């Protein structure tokens, strides 16, 4: 219950302010800079941006969220 | 299909037509066996076309320790030479629709197997991150980052439960025209999400949609005209 009380003390305005203050991540700036200079993305950026091409997102009765986000 | 864009001199169009001809001639009874035949024919061409790159990927993957350059090279090969197919519909006189998933990647050493999709489920492939963020509110990268942050005291199943409570529920058993709208909207969302963000614009162009219903043959809902490039 303590955790719940602590969560409830954070107001909507505070959450909104926190989200609105989020800046562009450092790796995104580096990625854009690299793309401008080289005309392509670094391999690690492509993976990070697009995800694993052998993975899928499943929705429906047989879908398993823990399986989709399985931690190996 | 998603991922790998071509098979050297053999186009996907030709490969699909060849497999359809072979399946018809052999009187293959159902879409599952058509999918298996397609997987075999695809794999044969894939191994032949990318022989050197596949050998390199397997070699890098088997190394117990890799340099950063080698890791980047392996990532590039995995990203460039992976992908898959979803073969669905019905075949021959059967009115029972079904769909099968075929996944391939360079470190696979035998022809890919086919996996039947559950009826009523929907799968999104190709750029899973964007649709994952939209529907689940999170993608695999962020999920792992939270677990690795040291600030999350639960396990991955606890986090999965939290995400489940906030995900966008999707419609079930939609009427045909609504289902078409839903498929179109999902693809359109992915395209525009990539276009208007820092993400690489790897999806685009006219969205083509077809439908195979139990009572009617293949029908295009939207398809670009053959003179599209001229105008």
């Amino acid at each position: 219950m303590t955790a719940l009380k602590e969560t409830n003390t954070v107001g909507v305005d505070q959450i909104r302010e926190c989200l609105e203050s989020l800046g562009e991540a450092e790796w995104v700036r580096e990625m854009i800079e690299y793309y401008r200079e080289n005309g392509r993305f670094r391999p690690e950026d492509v993976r990070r941006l697009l995800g694993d091409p052998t993975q899928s997102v499943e929705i429906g009765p047989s879908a398993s969220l823990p399986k989709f986000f399985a931690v190996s | 299909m998603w991922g790998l864009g071509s098979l050297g001199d053999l186009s996907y169009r030709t490969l699909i037509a060849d497999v359809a001809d072979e399946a018809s001639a052999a009187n293959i009874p159902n879409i599952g066996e058509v999918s298996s035949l397609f997987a075999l024919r695809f794999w044969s061409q894939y191994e032949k076309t990318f022989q050197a790159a596949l050998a390199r990927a397997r070699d890098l993957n088997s190394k117990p320790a890799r340099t950063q350059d080698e890791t980047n090279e392996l990532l590039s090969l995995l990203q460039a030479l992976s992908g898959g197919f979803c073969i669905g519909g019905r075949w021959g006189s059967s009115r029972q629709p079904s769909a099968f998933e075929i996944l391939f990647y360079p470190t696979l050493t035998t022809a890919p197997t086919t996996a039947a999709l559950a009826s009523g489920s929907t799968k999104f492939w190709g750029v899973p991150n964007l649709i994952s963020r939209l529907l689940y509110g999170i993608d695999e990268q962020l999920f792992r980052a939270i677990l690795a942050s040291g600030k999350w005291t639960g396990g991955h199943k606890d986090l999965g439960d939290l995400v489940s409570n906030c995900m966008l529920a999707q419609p079930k058993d939609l009427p045909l025209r609504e289902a078409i709208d839903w498929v179109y909207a999902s693809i359109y969302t992915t395209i525009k999400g990539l276009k208007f963000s820092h993400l690489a614009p790897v999806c685009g162009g006219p969205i083509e949609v077809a439908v195979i219903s139990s009572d009617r043959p293949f029908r295009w809902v939207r398809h670009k005209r053959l003179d599209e490039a001229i105008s």
Side-chain angles (χ1 to χ4, degrees):
Chain A
M1 291 307 289
T2 309
L4 186 63
K5 274 183 187 170
E6 281 173 4
T7 304
N8 287 340
T9 59
V10 181
V12 174
D13 288 346
Q14 285 171 285
I15 294 171
R16 198 167 289 158
E17 193 181 321
C18 177
L19 291 173
E20 285 171 359
S21 68
L22 294 176
E24 205 170 60
E26 186 59 33
W27 73 268
V28 173
R29 275 195 291 275
E30 286 173 8
M31 178 190 73
I32 292 169
E33 192 59 34
Y34 186 91
Y35 185 83
R36 278 186 190 138
E37 287 173 5
N38 300 281
R40 61 186 171 85
F41 291 100
R42 295 175 298 189
E44 61 270 33
D45 289 334
V46 174
R47 190 75 165 192
R48 180 145 47 175
L49 294 173
L50 306 180
D52 184 343
T54 65
Q55 291 294 314
S56 60
V57 178
E58 186 173 6
I59 303 292
S62 66
S64 163
L65 196 69
K67 188 180 157 200
F68 173 58
F69 287 126
V71 180
S72 53
Chain B
M1 66 188 77
W2 61 95
L4 180 68
S6 71
L7 277 173
D9 292 339
L10 180 69
S11 71
Y12 284 140
R13 184 189 292 271
T14 304
L15 178 66
I16 291 166
D18 281 345
V19 171
D21 289 346
E22 190 179 342
S24 292
N27 285 323
I28 283 184
N30 55 55
I31 199 82
E33 291 191 32
V34 173
S35 303
S36 298
L37 177 64
F38 182 84
L40 286 174
R41 296 295 173 264
F42 165 80
W43 185 252
S44 166
Q45 187 68 27
Y46 177 74
E47 289 225 294
K48 199 179 346 170
T49 306
F50 302 108
Q51 192 176 16
L54 294 176
R56 178 64 177 158
R58 289 163 190 165
D59 180 46
L60 288 169
N61 190 53
S62 66
K63 285 192 170 186
R66 284 182 292 272
T67 65
Q68 190 56 49
D69 283 349
E70 286 175 333
T71 299
N72 287 342
E73 186 184 356
L74 179 59
L75 272 178
S76 289
L77 290 167
L78 289 173
Q79 203 72 28
L81 297 174
S82 297
F85 303 90
C86 179
I87 296 181
R90 53 190 179 83
W91 182 257
S93 59
S94 169
R95 295 209 175 269
Q96 184 63 45
S98 55
F100 293 81
E101 175 185 31
I102 301 168
L103 291 175
F104 63 87
Y105 41 90
T107 52
L108 197 63
T109 52
T110 56
T113 54
T114 63
L117 302 189
S119 178
S121 286
T122 311
K123 273 199 171 187
F124 298 89
W125 298 274
V127 188
N129 278 7
L130 206 79
I131 207 79
S132 176
R133 289 181 188 196
L134 180 67
L135 299 181
Y136 292 142
I138 191 171
D139 64 16
E140 189 183 347
Q141 185 198 343
L142 179 55
F143 195 93
R144 289 176 187 276
I146 291 172
L147 289 176
S149 69
K151 295 172 183 170
W152 178 257
T153 54
H156 79 276
K157 283 188 176 154
D158 301 311
L159 185 52
D161 288 343
L162 195 69
V163 171
S164 288
N165 283 331
C166 300
M167 64 184 280
L168 296 178
Q170 291 299 287
K172 293 174 189 166
D173 301 331
L174 285 170
L176 189 61
R177 284 162 186 78
E178 295 300 317
I180 290 167
D181 185 21
W182 181 77
V183 167
Y184 183 89
S186 301
I187 298 170
Y188 184 84
T189 302
T190 298
I191 290 173
K192 298 305 179 187
L194 289 171
K195 182 178 178 185
F196 296 113
S197 70
H198 64 273
L199 303 170
V202 293
C203 293
I207 299 169
E208 297 182 316
V209 182
V211 64
I212 305 168
S213 55
S214 57
D215 62 330
R216 302 277 287 275
F218 181 99
R219 284 177 285 172
W220 281 114
V221 176
R222 275 197 176 198
H223 189 262
K224 59 179 178 284
R225 291 157 44 116
L226 280 173
D227 66 355
E228 195 79 17
I230 299 172
S231 51

